[in-house]
């Protein structure tokens, strides 16, 4: 068998897991990362990683319920075979990471400790204090360093991925990237390329994502012909610290350990929070969602906090929107042991000790449920077929997408602590698929035609030089354009979306895109030129921004993180049993009608002529768990659920 080489783009959890697995299979890897690997954005993940476990099994939990919680939380927009495979792999992933040395918190008996996260009633989430992502990343980094020492991995840190290399048959044969120090543009021939580059938070200007999470790598694949799916589904995390430079996450683990969200019942109550009596506090999540309390799914919590501040006028601060996230009732030693990482962040940036005074938080853009479209092969048991070359392959043969930048696992809303799981799982699971794909090809990384490589390098060199030399009379500043883009996207495409605003934003974004293509750079140097790197990333944000806006405009419903008040399904209003039953029947009729139209993945292709995405829709595989109404906190939910269950039983009986 000839020697195989794979290029992995991205040094976070997904990229490192894929690299580790590929090298175990005897595949050599070129690992490219924008940053030092140990500074990848996965290091910022705080709360934990999900799997059912021995403790939850004793309470009736199992992998199937993990699957059910994930697809229910995702409003059934998740393809179910990949989610099933992930849920059933989850305990093995935790065991592996434990053996690799991740310092998970332990119970007094020595078992891995667990906490509850949103959208579930079980303590499934394993954690390492409040720095779980960092500990997982470091453990995988150790394994990749070992493979690097053995000559199986070549690591290229501070390299910017510019484009996939495609041959005349449309097959991906490698990648073009740029050294961010020397500015050298280089080709990396490969049997396959794995894109593991995370989300696109910087499209919104400020988010909880790191400042290099621009989405540019996914966008460059998109513009090269890869499809992009469910772009409009952007998760806004309920709890973050507002900041002028970026938004800093306060993990869901704070609520998982007993943190309570509240506001004073009196608008802008001037008293210190500890001076406000319990009966004058409004614990709105607990009152409105008694079953889940402060751990409702993230889209629900986000909208409630937004509603409390914007519509009810109950923000705790008269000058900016925020609510209290209160941990002060929890023992200090327990807070330090389980949440020390995030408490230090809050104290550092706010100058207040959250052990003594409630934190002030507000929702922030956090995660991309959508991403590059990727294929899979369904197995006979309803999961994924191990080793099938199509698993996680985009529509470009040889180009794979894993981690946050693929679209499979989270549907319309991600459950907390499923992201770390999906990243590591996809990295591990796709290794054999990539190897089998490479084995099936008649030519490999050593046989890429020189003309194909030269053309790819020349195209990127021309773009680079055009940016350095072009538009000398222009006064367009890429940083100011980025600020305008972020303001626009944050205003119209986050918590609440309205069609008139979305349509207007699409017109405005066309103008911004045109301006971005005419930027004039203040730095035209040939060494460590961050100006030109940012300008490229800015230009490549627009295809994704347009996909988000157009997908949101065309989806006239409320589903997960995508919320349009004009299409919100009402609560039941009648107290009369007969009329209430009729309302529930009508509600279910409307739900079924809506699913027939919108229970579909948005699949976008980039149109280079119109500079806009072309959108089609793809059926979602719901073959394992039939879709049902998502009824968190809805008035009349019991009656609706009763009607729906009766219909489901009747359908099975037929």
């Amino acid at each position: 068998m000839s020697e195989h080489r794979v290029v992995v783009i991205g040094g976070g959890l997904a990229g490192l897991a894929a690299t580790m697995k590929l090298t175990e299979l005897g595949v050599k890897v070129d690992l490219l990362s924008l940053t030092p690997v140990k500074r990848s954005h996965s290091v910022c993940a705080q709360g934990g990683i999900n799997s059912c476990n021995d403790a939850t099994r004793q309470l009736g939990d199992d992998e199937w319920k993990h699957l059910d919680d994930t697809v229910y939380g995702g409003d059934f927009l998740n393809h179910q075979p990949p989610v099933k495979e992930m849920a059933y792999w989850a305990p093995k992933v935790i065991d592996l990471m434990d053996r690799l040395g991740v310092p998970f918190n332990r119970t007094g008996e020595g078992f891995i400790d667990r906490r509850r996260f949103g959208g579930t009633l079980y303590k499934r989430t394993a954690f390492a204090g409040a720095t779980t992502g960092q500990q997982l990343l470091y453990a995988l980094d150790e394994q990749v360093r070992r493979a690097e020492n053995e000559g199986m991995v070549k690591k290229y840190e501070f390299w910017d991925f510019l484009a996939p290399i495609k041959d005349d048959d449309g097959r991906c044969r490698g990648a073009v990237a740029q050294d961010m120090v020397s500015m050298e543009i280089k080709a990396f021939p490969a049997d396959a390329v794995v894109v593991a580059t995370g989300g696109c938070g910087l499209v919104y200007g400020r988010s909880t994502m790191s400042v290099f999470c621009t989405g540019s790598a996914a966008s460059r694949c998109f513009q090269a012909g890869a499809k992009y799916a469910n772009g409009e589904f952007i998760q806004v995390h309920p709890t973050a610290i507002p900041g002028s430079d970026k938004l800093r996450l306060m993990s869901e683990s704070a609520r998982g350990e007993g943190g309570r969200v509240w506001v004073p019942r009196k608008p802008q109550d001037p008293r210190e929070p500890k001076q406000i009596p319990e009966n004058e506090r409004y614990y709105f999540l607990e009152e409105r969602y008694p079953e889940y309390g402060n751990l409702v799914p993230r889209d629900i919590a986000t909208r409630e906090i937004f509603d409390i501040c914007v519509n009810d006028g109950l923000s705790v601060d008269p000058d900016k929107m925020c609510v209290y996230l209160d941990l002060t009732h929890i023992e200090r030693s327990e807070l330090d042991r389980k949440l020390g990482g995030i408490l230090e962040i809050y104290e550092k940036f706010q100058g207040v000790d959250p052990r003594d005074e409630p934190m002030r938080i507000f929702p922030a853009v956090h995660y991309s449920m959508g991403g590059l479209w990727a294929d899979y092969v369904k197995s006979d048991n309803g999961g994924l077929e191990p080793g099938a070359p199509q698993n996680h392959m985009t529509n470009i043969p040889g180009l794979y997408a894993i981690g946050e930048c693929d679209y499979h696992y989270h549907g319309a809303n991600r459950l907390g602590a499923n992201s770390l799981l999906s990243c590591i799982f996809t990295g591990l699971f796709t290794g054999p698929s990539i190897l089998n794909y490479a084995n099936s090809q008649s030519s490999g990384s050593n046989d890429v035609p020189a003309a194909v490589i030269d053309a790819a390098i020349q195209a990127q060199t021309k773009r680079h030089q055009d940016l350095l030399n072009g538009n000398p009379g222009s006064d367009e500043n890429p940083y100011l354009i980025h600020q305008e883009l972020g303001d626009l996207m944050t205003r119209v495409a986050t918590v609440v979306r309205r069609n008139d605003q979305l349509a207007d934003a699409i017109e405005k974004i066309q103008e911004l895109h045109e301006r971005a293509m005419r930027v004039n750079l203040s730095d035209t140097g040939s060494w460590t030129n961050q100006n030109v790197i940012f300008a490229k990333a800015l230009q490549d944000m627009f295809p994704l921004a347009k996909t988000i806006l157009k997908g949101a405009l065309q989806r006239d419903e409320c589903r997960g993180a995508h919320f349009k008040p004009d299409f919100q399904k009402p609560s039941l209003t009648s107290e009369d049993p007969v009329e209430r039953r009729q309302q529930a029947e009508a509600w279910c009729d409307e739900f079924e009608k809506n699913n027939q139209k919108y229970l579909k993945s948005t699949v976008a292709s980039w149109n280079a002529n119109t500079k806009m995405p072309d959108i089609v829709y793809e059926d979602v595989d719901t073959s394992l768990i039939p879709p049902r109404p998502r009824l968190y906190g809805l008035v009349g939910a019991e009656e609706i659920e009763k009607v729906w269950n009766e219909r489901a039983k009747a359908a099975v009986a037929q």
Side-chain angles (χ1 to χ4, degrees):
M1 183 180 69
S2 61
E3 180 178 279
H4 293 306
R5 182 171 292 278
V6 169
V7 172
V8 174
I9 314 294
L13 289 177
L16 291 178
T19 300
M20 179 180 75
K21 187 62 180 179
L22 286 165
T23 57
E24 287 177 0
L25 296 170
V27 178
K28 291 193 172 182
V29 174
D30 290 330
L31 176 60
L32 278 60
S33 178
L34 263 179
T35 66
V37 164
K38 292 177 79 169
R39 297 292 295 166
S40 298
H41 180 62
S42 298
V43 82
C44 298
Q46 298 167 349
I49 178 170
N50 284 339
S51 79
C52 72
N53 55 84
D54 291 342
T56 61
R57 288 184 204 281
Q58 295 174 28
L59 301 173
D61 190 23
D62 58 22
E63 287 87 348
W64 186 267
K65 287 186 178 179
H66 186 184
L67 159 65
D68 186 84
D69 282 345
T70 300
V71 297
Y72 183 65
D75 229 340
F76 291 92
L77 207 66
N78 336 48
H79 286 296
Q80 293 180 8
V83 179
K84 182 189 179 196
E85 197 69 39
M86 178 183 75
Y88 279 76
W89 265 63
K92 296 184 289 186
V93 170
I94 301 292
D95 288 345
L96 171 64
M97 300 313 298
D98 186 34
R99 292 199 306 275
L100 292 183
V102 174
F104 288 117
N105 277 49
R106 301 277 171 173
T107 65
E109 299 80 15
F111 300 112
I112 294 177
D113 201 359
R114 308 278 176 153
R115 58 171 50 128
R116 254 190 75 203
F117 255 55
T120 177
L121 301 176
Y122 297 101
K123 288 187 175 183
R124 286 200 193 107
T125 307
F127 60 97
T131 61
T132 311
Q134 182 184 50
Q135 306 309 322
L136 293 169
L137 187 81
Y138 285 8
L140 290 173
D141 178 60
E142 284 183 350
Q143 301 305 311
V144 171
R145 285 173 184 267
R146 181 174 68 175
E148 187 179 12
N149 187 58
E150 294 168 351
M152 295 298 292
V153 175
K154 287 187 178 180
K155 194 182 292 177
Y156 296 84
E157 295 174 319
F158 293 111
W159 280 74
D160 187 18
F161 166 75
L162 300 180
I165 298 173
K166 292 167 61 179
D167 65 16
D168 294 339
D169 296 324
R171 175 185 160 198
C172 181
R173 306 298 300 274
V176 181
Q178 184 169 30
D179 186 331
M180 294 167 62
V181 178
S182 70
M183 309 310 288
E184 173 195 5
I185 294 175
K186 175 182 168 67
F188 294 83
D191 297 271
V193 172
V194 182
V195 182
T197 52
C200 58
L202 223 64
V203 167
Y204 285 85
R206 292 181 300 148
S207 76
T208 66
M209 297 186 201
S210 298
V211 294
F212 47 79
C213 293
T214 63
S216 58
S219 178
R220 288 161 189 171
C221 295
F222 182 39
Q223 293 171 79
K227 297 176 182 177
Y228 196 88
N230 288 344
E232 65 266 33
F233 292 98
I234 300 290
Q235 183 164 87
V236 181
H237 196 285
T239 56
I241 312 171
S244 58
D245 55 346
K246 73 181 301 292
L247 308 173
R248 292 172 177 88
L249 176 67
M250 286 292 103
S251 171
E252 196 169 287
S253 57
R255 288 173 286 135
E257 295 297 343
R260 305 177 74 186
V261 177
W262 63 278
V263 291
R265 293 187 182 273
K266 176 184 176 182
Q268 285 80 57
D269 194 318
R271 291 176 291 179
E272 292 296 318
K274 280 195 168 182
Q275 297 175 349
I276 300 174
E278 281 287 314
N279 63 350
E280 295 181 35
R281 299 180 178 188
Y282 185 14
Y283 294 98
F284 53 93
L285 292 178
E286 297 172 31
E287 291 189 25
R288 297 179 184 183
Y289 305 92
E291 187 175 16
Y292 287 87
N294 294 289
L295 286 171
V296 289
R298 289 176 176 178
D299 60 314
I300 305 289
T302 293
R303 283 196 290 276
E304 291 294 350
I305 293 170
F306 184 86
D307 185 60
I308 280 286
C309 292
V310 176
N311 299 324
D312 294 346
L314 291 176
S315 172
V316 302
D317 193 320
D319 299 321
K320 62 182 179 183
M321 292 186 287
C322 54
V323 300
Y324 289 130
L325 173 55
D326 197 343
L327 298 167
T328 59
H329 56 287
I330 301 172
E331 186 99 21
R332 290 179 72 93
S333 60
E334 194 76 353
L335 291 175
D336 289 336
R337 186 170 71 89
K338 293 184 174 181
L339 299 172
I342 64 170
L343 302 183
E344 290 170 10
I345 292 172
Y346 191 87
E347 194 168 7
K348 177 178 180 179
F349 288 99
Q350 298 296 95
V352 174
D353 188 343
R355 303 165 188 81
D356 298 324
E357 184 176 321
M359 294 186 279
R360 298 185 180 208
I361 54 89
F362 194 70
V365 169
H366 179 61
Y367 191 87
S368 310
M369 271 77 71
L372 290 169
W373 181 93
D375 202 358
Y376 64 88
V377 176
K378 186 177 178 179
S379 65
D380 292 338
N381 68 5
L384 299 184
E385 187 64 42
Q390 297 97 316
N391 289 335
H392 278 272
M393 189 189 291
T394 69
N395 57 296
I396 297 177
L399 181 66
Y400 289 80
I402 61 174
E404 185 179 347
C405 73
D406 87 71
Y407 85 115
H408 275 320
Y409 294 90
H410 308 300
N413 170 66
R414 174 174 67 80
L415 293 189
N418 265 357
S419 59
L420 301 187
L421 174 61
S422 66
C423 286
I424 297 174
F425 162 70
T426 55
L428 297 175
F429 187 81
T430 55
S433 296
I434 296 165
L435 176 59
N436 288 341
Y437 168 77
N439 285 336
S440 71
Q441 301 303 303
S442 59
S443 59
S445 58
N446 296 322
D447 305 314
V448 183
V452 170
I453 292 176
D454 291 343
I457 292 175
Q458 287 172 15
Q460 296 307 317
T461 301
K462 182 179 185 304
R463 182 187 184 190
H464 183 77
Q465 290 301 325
D466 286 348
L467 271 168
L468 293 181
N469 304 328
N471 309 311
S474 171
D475 61 354
E476 297 292 1
N477 184 318
Y479 299 98
L480 294 179
I481 293 173
H482 178 246
Q483 185 176 350
E484 290 186 51
L485 171 65
D487 290 345
L488 176 67
M489 294 296 294
T490 301
R491 190 175 74 251
V492 307
T494 49
V495 181
V496 174
R497 299 167 174 191
R498 303 182 189 278
N499 281 345
D500 56 343
Q501 294 178 347
L502 290 166
D504 183 55
I506 288 174
E507 287 187 19
K508 290 180 179 176
I509 211 166
Q510 287 279 41
E511 177 192 339
L512 283 175
H513 193 180
E514 291 171 6
R515 288 173 53 197
M517 302 308 290
R518 302 194 303 268
V519 292
N520 186 22
L521 304 185
S522 57
D523 183 356
T524 58
S526 58
W527 189 263
T528 63
N529 189 331
Q530 297 299 303
N531 206 201
V532 70
I533 290 167
F534 180 81
K536 291 177 189 176
L538 171 68
Q539 291 175 347
D540 292 327
M541 290 181 207
F542 283 94
L544 298 189
K546 290 177 178 180
T547 301
I548 293 167
L549 293 176
K550 187 173 180 179
L553 178 62
Q554 294 184 186
R555 187 177 283 275
D556 282 338
E557 65 162 352
C558 294
R559 189 179 296 275
H562 174 71
F563 179 71
K564 286 184 174 178
D566 293 343
F567 300 93
Q568 186 178 13
K569 290 185 177 62
S571 297
L572 304 190
T573 56
S574 177
E575 296 298 327
D576 176 71
V578 175
E579 189 175 346
R580 194 173 180 84
R581 171 75 183 202
Q582 291 173 344
Q583 287 183 343
E585 293 277 5
W587 198 102
C588 289
D589 288 342
E590 186 60 32
F591 176 79
E592 287 188 276
K593 181 181 175 183
N594 184 75
N595 273 353
Q596 289 171 7
K597 187 172 184 180
Y598 289 115
L599 187 61
K600 298 180 186 297
S601 297
T602 305
V603 181
S605 301
W606 182 245
N607 189 322
N609 295 320
T610 63
K611 302 297 183 187
M612 284 292 291
D614 295 327
I615 288 179
V616 297
Y617 293 92
E618 174 186 77
D619 289 335
V620 178
D621 187 329
T622 58
S623 57
L624 301 175
I625 299 175
R628 63 185 187 271
R630 195 167 178 255
L631 300 171
Y632 300 105
L634 190 74
V635 175
E638 301 85 357
E639 189 69 27
I640 293 169
E641 189 171 21
K642 180 181 176 183
V643 170
W644 187 262
N645 288 339
E646 289 174 3
R647 292 186 179 190
K649 287 180 181 178
V652 171
Q654 292 175 356

